[in-house]
């Protein structure tokens, strides 16, 4: 990879880090200023932000980059595999791994 690729990856990594750390840092300072370290001071919008972001990423991942029959089929089968794995394991990592592998296998065999 060239220098520009590494620079782009570093900027993306730093931006992702800031998006995660800035709210955490802001809230920890706010909680310390108010009545000690009580979790009751966390605003409601912050508690729902994580699930909303996960739902948004899930929604965007359901539409393939290339709109072909193969990618739509692979997306459907991968989604079903992900949901079945989640239903069986009730974890987060394994269903994502299985869904990505199934998607890749379907695209490889049909493509």
């Amino acid at each position: 990879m060239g220098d520009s690729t590494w620079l782009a990856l570093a900027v993306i990594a730093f931006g992702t880090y800031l998006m995660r750390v800035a709210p955490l840092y802001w809230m920890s300072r706010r909680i310390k200023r108010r009545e000690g370290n009580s979790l009751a001071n966390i605003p409601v919008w912050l508690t729902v932000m994580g699930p909303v972001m996960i739902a948004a990423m899930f929604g965007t991942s359901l539409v393939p980059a290339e709109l072909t029959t193969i990618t739509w089929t692979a997306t459907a089968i991968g989604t079903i595999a992900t949901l079945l794995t989640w239903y069986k394991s009730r974890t987060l990592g394994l269903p994502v791994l299985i869904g990505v592998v199934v998607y890749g296998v379907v695209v490889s065999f049909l493509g």
Side-chain angles (χ1 to χ4, degrees):
M1 289 195 287
D3 290 340
S4 60
T5 304
W6 284 111
L7 179 63
L9 286 174
V11 169
I12 291 168
F14 185 69
T16 302
Y17 175 76
L18 282 180
M19 285 190 313
R20 295 170 191 273
V21 168
L24 180 66
Y25 179 72
W26 176 70
M27 279 307 301
S28 66
R29 289 188 60 199
R30 183 176 176 193
I31 289 173
K32 285 179 184 176
R33 270 187 274 152
R34 291 182 173 191
E35 304 173 16
N37 287 332
S38 173
L39 293 178
N41 294 326
I42 296 177
V44 174
W45 64 267
L46 196 57
T47 61
V48 298
M49 187 176 272
V52 168
M53 291 172 67
I54 290 171
M57 288 188 294
F58 178 68
T60 59
S61 68
L62 289 179
V63 179
E66 297 177 20
L67 301 177
T68 64
T69 305
I70 294 171
T71 57
W72 278 109
T73 303
T75 300
I77 294 172
T79 302
I80 291 168
T82 301
L83 292 173
L84 289 174
T85 306
W86 174 82
Y87 184 74
K88 202 81 159 136
S89 68
R90 300 292 179 165
T91 63
L92 293 177
L94 186 61
V96 171
L97 175 66
I98 296 297
V100 169
V101 168
V102 168
Y103 177 88
V105 167
V106 171
V107 167
S108 295
F109 281 126
L110 294 180

